[in-house]
Amino acid sequence: MPAILFLDSDVALDLLMERPDFYKHSAQLFLKIQNGQATGFMSAVAFINTHYFLRKYLGKEKSIQTLREFKKLVSVATVAEQNIDKALYSPFPDFEDAVQHEAALNCKAGFIITRNLEHYKKSTLPVYTPEDYLKNFT
């Protein structure tokens, strides 16, 4: 059974913007998702954040086209009212990260994949960078 990965927006942006220092590992990770070796999820918040930065980089039209293609690789993890309630009382110092964590739990993710490990110190799920996940689980 493929691993379920919850992907933070920085990982998506590394791929979509081909960020030199991070593209290689994000591309390898998304190739595994494309090949069915893992299942990828992002929250609606992460999609919005990705569009915000991608629009500045590519322009609105190209950003939307790129996200349409990208959406074929990942599913959207839902966030319900009870998840917001949990996030409001969570030990996470940042509310957005708490909501992201709740979304990861909702989609039954086995891992959170991000370059911002500091943001997820309070996670109950294992948290890896794309590079470390690839080294340890593939």
Side-chain angles (χ1 to χ4, degrees):
M1 180 169 181
I4 299 174
L5 309 177
F6 182 83
L7 308 159
D8 206 358
S9 55
D10 59 330
V11 178
L13 287 166
D14 291 343
L15 174 78
L16 299 174
M17 294 172 66
E18 297 184 18
R19 291 175 170 163
D21 294 338
F22 310 108
Y23 174 77
K24 176 184 169 187
H25 295 111
S26 288
Q28 290 172 348
L29 185 70
F30 281 102
L31 187 60
K32 294 204 172 292
I33 292 169
Q34 185 177 26
N35 292 337
Q37 296 169 299
T39 302
F41 278 88
M42 285 177 62
S43 72
V45 170
F47 266 95
I48 293 165
N49 289 344
T50 299
H51 176 261
Y52 176 80
F53 289 104
L54 201 58
R55 183 188 64 195
K56 291 180 177 209
Y57 181 70
L58 297 174
K60 182 183 176 194
E61 297 289 325
K62 183 71 172 160
S63 173
I64 293 294
Q65 289 173 337
T66 300
L67 286 175
R68 285 179 182 150
E69 289 301 310
F70 178 73
K71 174 62 181 70
K72 295 175 184 177
L73 292 174
V74 296
S75 297
V76 177
T78 59
V79 175
E81 184 172 356
Q82 67 266 23
N83 301 118
I84 298 297
D85 291 341
K86 287 180 184 177
L88 286 168
Y89 291 96
S90 81
F92 277 77
D94 183 85
F95 179 65
E96 181 185 344
D97 296 334
V99 172
Q100 295 285 75
H101 184 259
E102 286 297 316
L105 293 172
N106 258 8
C107 70
K108 310 274 191 257
F111 305 91
I112 295 174
I113 309 298
T114 183
R115 278 192 298 99
N116 297 317
L117 299 176
E118 291 289 315
H119 291 196
Y120 292 96
K121 280 187 170 184
K122 301 288 183 176
S123 176
T124 60
L125 296 170
V127 182
Y128 290 93
T129 64
E131 181 178 9
D132 288 339
Y133 177 81
L134 291 165
K135 283 180 187 173
N136 290 298
F137 297 100
T138 59

